[in-house]
Amino acid sequence: MECKLDLNKTYAIALEGGGARGAYQVGAWRALEEAGVRYNAVSGSSVGALNGAMMAMHAREEAENLWSNICFSQIMNVDDDMMQRLMKREIHGFSELKALLKEARDVVKEGGFDIEPLRRRIAQLTDEEKIRKSDVELFVMTYSLSDRKELELNARELQPGELPDMLLASAYFPAFKNEKLGGKRYADGGVQDVLPLHALLSHGYRDIIAIRLHGVGFERRVRIPKNAGIITISPNADLGGVLNFDQEQSRANLRLGYFDAQRVLYGLRGKTYYIEKTFDEERAYRELSAMMREAAPELSLRKLNEKLLHDLGRELGEKGDYYDLLIAYLEKAAGELGIDPFSVVTDEALLGLVWEQYHIKRPKTGILRYLSRS
């Protein structure tokens, strides 16, 4: 596959805040590095700041290991089993509910979840000297409650020992117990700038890759200069809750980020599958027609074009050309047939997989009923 990004350029990367969804960004980072994308700056809010520090250290393997093995107790002083069942809504019986309510009251009484484990983890992972001397400029977003102002902090300009505190400050989600850092109180970077484009643009960076998480926070309005280009990597699927530090969810987000980044890098088609385009519209029309007419040989061309394909497009909400309609149909059909979306396939290969599984399972419901009509 040919990369659609200009690999002669060096990019800056903006990492959106989003708590436990942060694994998605590390998956995307892997895809960018494998494609040969170079970057010399990264800005981050909340979990984006933590991932950004790892990027500045070029510590992708460490970041992948962290997110692959994440658990609630690495972030908060909580019981992993209880939190996991809570997130999955698997609290059984009055005694468990009573224990959960007591823990919730204690959390509220203490001002939020105790995140001492996160503080220790940041101190363990952060090499200030390496970040200060890195070829990647790191910007950390937070909000000073004490000074009532937004802060865009350049890691190179912070005093020794200050960076771990500011990374923690950027991640001070409202549900976390807020303790003073250096004598001041801070709030999550998403309070003022959940997607920190401004820090990069104001420092002259113009070729930017934004990795979204659709997290909780305020998205600051910024004026995009005419000579700037923003490339966005964004999930279509649900990444889970911002406090759902579940290992299974995190690993799924790593994989999703990796493939979503490939969709952008290589111009892949599809919303839930990753499809390399080899058909033109005429070929797509022929394939759609052949599928419908093989299932119903007596189908007239007029009925095919004016009725069946029209109805199919309306049901799928697809207003594009016949190629777009074919891809929308194949994605829906592949999903109903249980075909794994996590591989890069050509449109021709996905068409073959759909036909193969259809002939095995012969379903007559859902979108596949279009292959069963007479």
Side-chain angles (χ1 to χ4, degrees):
M1 296 183 294
E2 180 183 352
C3 185
K4 303 302 180 183
L5 270 66
D6 186 349
L7 297 180
N8 292 315
K9 292 181 178 181
T10 300
Y11 294 85
I13 300 177
L15 301 175
E16 183 174 10
R21 302 171 183 177
Y24 180 88
Q25 294 173 338
V26 176
W29 176 16
R30 177 187 170 195
L32 293 174
E33 285 204 341
E34 287 182 355
V37 175
R38 295 173 297 162
Y39 62 94
N40 60 358
V42 59
S43 63
S45 280
S46 194
V47 73
L50 304 181
N51 285 335
M54 302 294 280
M55 294 186 76
M57 292 188 290
H58 298 286
R60 181 171 61 81
E61 288 187 8
E62 291 88 337
E64 288 181 354
N65 181 64
L66 170 69
W67 284 104
S68 294
N69 299 288
I70 198 75
C71 62
F72 296 94
S73 61
Q74 292 178 5
I75 308 299
M76 305 170 282
N77 266 328
V78 294
D79 178 77
D80 282 312
D81 184 58
M82 179 69 79
M83 288 297 294
Q84 199 164 46
R85 282 183 288 161
L86 174 62
M87 291 297 171
K88 293 181 179 180
R89 299 179 182 177
E90 295 176 352
I91 300 299
H92 303 297
F94 178 73
S95 60
E96 282 194 8
L97 179 60
K98 185 177 179 181
L100 177 63
L101 291 174
K102 181 181 183 303
E103 187 170 331
R105 285 196 300 269
D106 291 342
V107 167
V108 172
K109 185 177 179 180
E110 293 297 322
F113 288 106
D114 177 8
I115 55 169
E116 183 59 28
L118 177 59
R119 181 197 293 272
R120 292 195 300 266
R121 183 53 61 96
I122 291 174
Q124 179 186 43
L125 293 173
T126 304
D127 187 330
E128 286 189 86
E129 191 64 18
K130 193 171 185 178
I131 291 174
R132 192 171 288 110
K133 293 181 178 179
S134 175
D135 58 349
V136 176
E137 195 169 16
L138 172 64
F139 300 96
V140 176
M141 306 303 113
T142 187
Y143 183 82
S144 173
L145 294 169
S146 299
D147 299 325
R148 296 184 181 181
K149 68 176 182 180
E150 178 185 5
L151 301 176
E152 293 181 346
L153 304 171
N154 188 325
R156 294 173 180 171
E157 298 172 358
L158 296 175
Q159 296 299 313
E162 193 176 2
L163 179 57
D165 276 355
M166 292 302 98
L167 291 174
L168 185 63
S170 184
Y172 259 151
F173 192 71
F176 294 160
K177 184 178 180 180
N178 191 301
E179 297 181 335
K180 287 185 177 181
L181 300 169
K184 294 185 178 183
R185 294 194 185 277
Y186 296 88
D188 189 288
V191 167
Q192 289 291 322
D193 198 359
V194 72
L195 180 65
L197 293 171
H198 179 268
L200 298 175
L201 292 168
S202 64
H203 284 82
Y205 294 101
R206 292 296 178 264
D207 297 302
I208 298 173
I209 298 171
I211 307 181
R212 306 290 316 248
L213 297 178
H214 303 310
V216 178
F218 176 79
E219 189 170 336
R220 178 176 178 174
R221 289 187 179 183
V222 294
R223 187 183 66 82
I224 309 298
K226 290 183 179 180
N227 63 339
I230 312 294
I231 297 165
T232 301
I233 299 171
S234 180
N236 290 319
D238 181 15
L239 299 180
V242 295
L243 291 179
N244 186 20
F245 293 97
D246 173 72
Q247 186 179 108
E248 183 179 347
Q249 180 70 62
S250 187
R251 290 180 177 182
N253 290 346
L254 275 167
R255 180 176 60 177
L256 186 66
Y258 177 72
F259 280 97
D260 280 358
Q262 287 195 84
R263 176 182 283 124
V264 173
L265 286 165
Y266 302 109
L268 302 177
R269 306 299 288 266
K271 295 179 180 177
T272 56
Y273 286 74
Y274 304 89
I275 305 164
E276 184 180 2
K277 183 177 181 179
T278 64
F279 293 168
D280 58 16
E281 187 185 9
E282 184 177 343
R283 173 74 184 276
Y285 172 74
R286 292 203 306 269
E287 296 295 348
L288 274 170
S289 300
M291 291 172 75
M292 302 302 168
R293 301 193 80 185
E294 183 170 329
E298 70 282 7
L299 188 67
S300 70
L301 282 174
R302 182 168 184 176
K303 186 175 182 182
L304 171 72
N305 288 286
E306 295 183 6
K307 177 64 176 172
L308 206 56
L309 294 181
H310 176 268
D311 289 350
L312 181 63
R314 184 171 57 185
E315 182 169 338
L316 292 170
E318 180 53 65
K319 297 180 180 180
D321 62 21
Y322 282 119
Y323 184 84
D324 297 323
L325 181 57
L326 174 65
I327 294 303
Y329 181 77
L330 289 178
E331 285 199 285
K332 188 72 172 178
E336 291 182 5
L337 290 165
I339 296 172
D340 183 9
F342 292 107
S343 64
V344 177
V345 295
T346 64
D347 38 27
E348 185 170 26
L350 185 58
L351 175 64
L353 286 171
V354 166
W355 263 125
E356 176 186 313
Q357 290 300 307
Y358 172 76
H359 285 133
I360 292 171
K361 299 179 179 179
R362 289 287 181 179
K364 295 185 178 182
T365 58
I367 203 70
L368 288 156
R369 70 186 183 280
Y370 282 89
L371 297 186
S372 306
R373 289 185 174 187
S374 58

Coordinates of all heavy atoms in Angstrom, one line a residue, residues 45-95:
S45 N -3.4 16.9 26.3 CA -4.2 17.2 27.5 C -4.6 15.9 28.2 O -4.9 14.9 27.6 CB -5.5 17.9 27.1 OG -5.3 19.3 26.8
S46 N -4.5 16.0 29.6 CA -4.9 14.8 30.4 C -4.1 13.6 30.0 O -2.9 13.6 30.0 CB -6.4 14.6 30.2 OG -6.9 13.7 31.2
V47 N -4.8 12.5 29.6 CA -4.0 11.3 29.2 C -3.2 11.5 28.0 O -2.2 10.9 27.8 CB -5.0 10.1 29.0 CG1 -5.8 10.3 27.7 CG2 -4.3 8.8 29.0
G48 N -3.6 12.5 27.2 CA -2.8 12.9 26.0 C -1.4 13.4 26.4 O -0.4 13.2 25.7
A49 N -1.4 14.1 27.5 CA -0.1 14.6 28.0 C 0.8 13.5 28.5 O 2.0 13.5 28.2 CB -0.3 15.6 29.2
L50 N 0.2 12.5 29.1 CA 1.0 11.3 29.6 C 1.5 10.5 28.4 O 2.7 10.1 28.3 CB 0.1 10.4 30.4 CG -0.5 11.1 31.7 CD1 -1.3 10.0 32.5 CD2 0.5 11.7 32.6
N51 N 0.6 10.3 27.4 CA 1.1 9.6 26.2 C 2.1 10.5 25.4 O 3.1 9.9 24.8 CB -0.1 9.3 25.3 CG -0.9 8.1 25.8 OD1 -0.4 7.3 26.5 ND2 -2.2 8.1 25.4
G52 N 1.9 11.8 25.4 CA 2.9 12.7 24.8 C 4.3 12.6 25.4 O 5.3 12.7 24.7
A53 N 4.3 12.5 26.7 CA 5.6 12.3 27.4 C 6.3 11.0 26.9 O 7.5 11.0 26.7 CB 5.4 12.3 28.9
M54 N 5.6 10.0 26.7 CA 6.1 8.7 26.2 C 6.6 8.9 24.8 O 7.6 8.3 24.4 CB 5.1 7.6 26.3 CG 4.5 7.3 27.7 SD 5.7 6.7 28.8 CE 5.8 5.0 28.3
M55 N 5.9 9.7 24.0 CA 6.3 9.9 22.6 C 7.5 10.7 22.6 O 8.4 10.5 21.7 CB 5.1 10.6 21.8 CG 3.9 9.8 21.6 SD 2.7 10.5 20.6 CE 3.4 10.3 19.0
A56 N 7.7 11.7 23.5 CA 8.9 12.5 23.5 C 10.1 11.7 23.9 O 11.2 12.0 23.5 CB 8.7 13.7 24.5
M57 N 9.9 10.7 24.7 CA 10.9 9.8 25.1 C 11.2 8.6 24.0 O 12.1 7.8 24.2 CB 10.6 9.1 26.4 CG 10.7 10.1 27.6 SD 10.5 9.3 29.2 CE 8.8 8.7 29.2
H58 N 10.4 8.6 23.0 CA 10.4 7.5 22.0 C 10.3 6.2 22.7 O 11.0 5.2 22.3 CB 11.7 7.6 21.2 CG 11.8 8.9 20.4 ND1 11.1 9.1 19.2 CD2 12.6 10.0 20.6 CE1 11.4 10.3 18.8 NE2 12.3 10.9 19.5
A59 N 9.4 6.1 23.6 CA 9.2 4.9 24.4 C 7.9 4.2 24.1 O 7.1 3.9 24.9 CB 9.2 5.2 25.9
R60 N 7.8 3.8 22.8 CA 6.5 3.2 22.4 C 6.3 1.8 23.0 O 5.2 1.5 23.4 CB 6.5 3.1 20.8 CG 5.1 2.5 20.3 CD 5.0 2.7 18.8 NE 6.0 2.0 18.1 CZ 6.1 0.7 17.8 NH1 5.1 -0.1 18.3 NH2 7.0 0.2 17.1
E61 N 7.3 1.0 23.0 CA 7.2 -0.3 23.6 C 6.7 -0.3 25.0 O 5.9 -1.0 25.5 CB 8.5 -1.1 23.4 CG 8.8 -1.5 22.0 CD 10.0 -2.4 21.9 OE1 10.5 -2.9 23.0 OE2 10.4 -2.7 20.8
E62 N 7.3 0.7 25.8 CA 6.9 0.8 27.2 C 5.5 1.3 27.3 O 4.7 0.8 28.1 CB 7.8 1.8 27.9 CG 9.2 1.4 28.1 CD 10.2 1.7 26.9 OE1 9.6 1.8 25.8 OE2 11.4 1.7 27.1
A63 N 5.0 2.2 26.4 CA 3.7 2.7 26.4 C 2.7 1.5 26.0 O 1.6 1.4 26.6 CB 3.5 3.8 25.4
E64 N 3.1 0.7 25.0 CA 2.2 -0.4 24.7 C 2.1 -1.4 25.8 O 1.0 -1.9 26.1 CB 2.8 -1.1 23.4 CG 2.6 -0.3 22.1 CD 3.1 -1.0 20.9 OE1 3.7 -2.1 21.1 OE2 2.9 -0.5 19.8
N65 N 3.2 -1.7 26.5 CA 3.2 -2.6 27.6 C 2.3 -2.0 28.8 O 1.5 -2.8 29.4 CB 4.6 -2.8 28.1 CG 4.6 -3.8 29.3 OD1 4.3 -4.9 29.2 ND2 5.1 -3.3 30.4
L66 N 2.4 -0.7 29.0 CA 1.6 -0.1 30.0 C 0.1 -0.2 29.7 O -0.6 -0.7 30.6 CB 2.0 1.4 30.1 CG 1.0 2.3 31.0 CD1 1.2 1.9 32.4 CD2 1.3 3.8 30.7
W67 N -0.3 0.1 28.5 CA -1.7 0.0 28.2 C -2.2 -1.4 28.0 O -3.4 -1.6 28.3 CB -2.0 0.9 27.0 CG -2.0 2.4 27.3 CD1 -1.0 3.2 26.9 CD2 -3.0 3.1 27.9 NE1 -1.4 4.5 27.4 CE2 -2.6 4.4 28.0 CE3 -4.2 2.7 28.5 CZ2 -3.3 5.4 28.6 CZ3 -5.0 3.7 29.1 CH2 -4.5 5.1 29.2
S68 N -1.4 -2.3 27.6 CA -1.8 -3.7 27.4 C -2.1 -4.4 28.8 O -2.8 -5.3 28.8 CB -0.7 -4.5 26.7 OG -0.6 -4.0 25.4
N69 N -1.5 -3.8 29.8 CA -1.6 -4.5 31.1 C -2.2 -3.5 32.2 O -2.0 -3.7 33.4 CB -0.2 -4.9 31.6 CG 0.4 -6.0 30.6 OD1 0.0 -7.1 30.6 ND2 1.4 -5.6 29.9
I70 N -2.9 -2.6 31.7 CA -3.5 -1.6 32.6 C -4.5 -2.2 33.5 O -5.2 -3.2 33.2 CB -4.1 -0.4 31.8 CG1 -4.3 0.8 32.7 CG2 -5.4 -0.8 31.2 CD1 -3.1 1.6 33.0
C71 N -4.7 -1.6 34.7 CA -5.8 -2.0 35.6 C -6.2 -0.8 36.5 O -5.4 0.1 36.6 CB -5.5 -3.3 36.5 SG -4.1 -3.0 37.6
F72 N -7.3 -0.9 37.1 CA -7.9 0.3 37.8 C -6.9 0.7 39.0 O -6.7 1.8 39.2 CB -9.2 -0.1 38.4 CG -10.3 -0.3 37.4 CD1 -10.6 -1.6 37.0 CD2 -11.0 0.7 36.9 CE1 -11.5 -1.9 36.0 CE2 -12.0 0.5 35.9 CZ -12.2 -0.8 35.5
S73 N -6.3 -0.3 39.6 CA -5.5 -0.1 40.8 C -4.1 0.6 40.5 O -3.4 1.0 41.3 CB -5.3 -1.3 41.6 OG -4.6 -2.3 40.9
Q74 N -3.8 0.6 39.2 CA -2.6 1.3 38.7 C -2.8 2.8 38.6 O -1.9 3.6 38.5 CB -2.1 0.8 37.4 CG -1.6 -0.6 37.4 CD -1.1 -1.1 36.0 OE1 -1.2 -0.4 35.1 NE2 -0.8 -2.4 36.0
I75 N -4.1 3.2 38.6 CA -4.5 4.6 38.5 C -5.0 5.1 39.8 O -4.7 6.2 40.3 CB -5.5 4.8 37.4 CG1 -5.0 4.1 36.1 CG2 -5.8 6.2 37.2 CD1 -3.7 4.7 35.5
M76 N -5.9 4.3 40.5 CA -6.6 4.8 41.7 C -6.5 3.7 42.8 O -6.3 2.5 42.5 CB -8.1 5.0 41.3 CG -8.4 5.9 40.2 SD -10.1 5.9 39.7 CE -10.2 4.4 38.7
N77 N -6.6 4.1 44.0 CA -6.6 3.2 45.1 C -8.0 2.6 45.3 O -8.8 3.0 46.1 CB -6.2 4.0 46.4 CG -4.8 3.9 46.7 OD1 -4.1 2.9 46.4 ND2 -4.2 4.9 47.3
V78 N -8.2 1.6 44.4 CA -9.5 0.9 44.4 C -9.3 -0.6 44.3 O -8.2 -1.1 43.9 CB -10.4 1.4 43.2 CG1 -10.8 2.8 43.4 CG2 -9.7 1.2 41.9
D79 N -10.3 -1.4 44.5 CA -10.3 -2.8 44.3 C -10.6 -3.1 42.8 O -11.7 -2.8 42.3 CB -11.3 -3.5 45.2 CG -11.3 -5.0 45.0 OD1 -10.4 -5.7 45.5 OD2 -12.3 -5.5 44.3
D80 N -9.7 -3.8 42.1 CA -9.8 -4.1 40.7 C -11.1 -4.9 40.4 O -11.8 -4.6 39.5 CB -8.6 -4.8 40.2 CG -7.4 -3.9 39.9 OD1 -7.6 -2.8 39.3 OD2 -6.3 -4.2 40.4
D81 N -11.3 -5.9 41.2 CA -12.4 -6.8 40.9 C -13.8 -6.1 41.1 O -14.6 -6.2 40.2 CB -12.4 -8.0 41.9 CG -13.5 -9.0 41.6 OD1 -13.6 -9.5 40.4 OD2 -14.3 -9.2 42.5
M82 N -13.9 -5.3 42.1 CA -15.1 -4.5 42.3 C -15.3 -3.5 41.2 O -16.4 -3.4 40.7 CB -15.0 -3.8 43.7 CG -16.3 -2.9 44.0 SD -17.7 -3.9 44.3 CE -17.4 -4.4 46.0
M83 N -14.3 -2.8 40.8 CA -14.4 -1.8 39.7 C -14.7 -2.4 38.4 O -15.5 -1.9 37.6 CB -13.1 -1.0 39.6 CG -12.8 0.0 40.8 SD -14.1 1.3 40.9 CE -13.8 2.2 39.4
Q84 N -14.1 -3.6 38.1 CA -14.4 -4.2 36.9 C -15.9 -4.7 36.8 O -16.5 -4.5 35.8 CB -13.5 -5.5 36.7 CG -13.4 -6.0 35.3 CD -12.2 -6.9 35.2 OE1 -12.0 -7.8 36.0 NE2 -11.4 -6.7 34.1
R85 N -16.4 -5.2 37.9 CA -17.8 -5.6 37.9 C -18.7 -4.4 37.9 O -19.8 -4.5 37.3 CB -18.1 -6.4 39.2 CG -17.6 -7.9 39.0 CD -17.9 -8.7 40.2 NE -17.1 -8.4 41.4 CZ -17.4 -8.6 42.6 NH1 -18.5 -9.3 42.9 NH2 -16.5 -8.3 43.6
L86 N -18.3 -3.3 38.5 CA -19.1 -2.1 38.4 C -19.2 -1.6 37.0 O -20.3 -1.2 36.5 CB -18.5 -1.0 39.3 CG -19.1 0.4 39.2 CD1 -20.6 0.3 39.7 CD2 -18.3 1.4 40.1
M87 N -18.1 -1.5 36.3 CA -18.1 -1.1 34.9 C -18.9 -2.0 34.0 O -19.5 -1.5 33.0 CB -16.6 -1.0 34.4 CG -15.8 0.1 35.0 SD -16.5 1.8 34.7 CE -15.5 2.8 35.8
K88 N -18.9 -3.3 34.3 CA -19.7 -4.2 33.5 C -21.1 -4.4 34.1 O -21.8 -5.3 33.5 CB -18.9 -5.5 33.4 CG -17.6 -5.5 32.7 CD -16.9 -6.8 32.6 CE -15.6 -6.7 31.8 NZ -14.9 -8.0 31.8
R89 N -21.4 -3.7 35.1 CA -22.7 -3.7 35.7 C -23.0 -5.2 36.2 O -24.1 -5.7 35.9 CB -23.8 -3.2 34.8 CG -23.6 -1.8 34.4 CD -24.6 -1.2 33.4 NE -24.3 0.1 33.1 CZ -25.0 0.8 32.2 NH1 -26.0 0.3 31.6 NH2 -24.7 2.1 31.9
E90 N -22.0 -5.7 36.9 CA -22.2 -7.1 37.3 C -22.2 -7.2 38.9 O -21.7 -8.1 39.5 CB -21.1 -8.0 36.8 CG -21.1 -8.1 35.3 CD -19.9 -8.9 34.7 OE1 -19.0 -9.3 35.5 OE2 -19.9 -9.2 33.5
I91 N -22.7 -6.1 39.5 CA -22.8 -6.2 41.0 C -24.0 -7.1 41.4 O -25.2 -6.8 40.9 CB -23.1 -4.7 41.5 CG1 -21.9 -3.8 41.1 CG2 -23.2 -4.8 43.0 CD1 -20.6 -4.3 41.7
H92 N -23.7 -8.1 42.1 CA -24.7 -9.1 42.5 C -25.0 -9.1 44.0 O -24.1 -9.1 44.8 CB -24.3 -10.5 42.1 CG -23.9 -10.6 40.6 ND1 -24.9 -10.4 39.6 CD2 -22.8 -10.9 40.0 CE1 -24.3 -10.6 38.5 NE2 -23.0 -10.9 38.7
G93 N -26.3 -9.0 44.3 CA -26.7 -9.1 45.7 C -26.6 -7.8 46.5 O -25.8 -6.9 46.2
F94 N -27.3 -7.8 47.6 CA -27.4 -6.6 48.4 C -26.0 -6.3 49.1 O -25.7 -5.2 49.3 CB -28.5 -6.8 49.5 CG -28.6 -5.6 50.4 CD1 -29.2 -4.4 50.0 CD2 -28.1 -5.7 51.8 CE1 -29.3 -3.3 50.9 CE2 -28.2 -4.6 52.6 CZ -28.8 -3.4 52.2
S95 N -25.3 -7.3 49.5 CA -24.1 -7.1 50.3 C -23.0 -6.4 49.4 O -22.3 -5.5 49.8 CB -23.5 -8.4 50.8 OG -23.3 -9.3 49.7

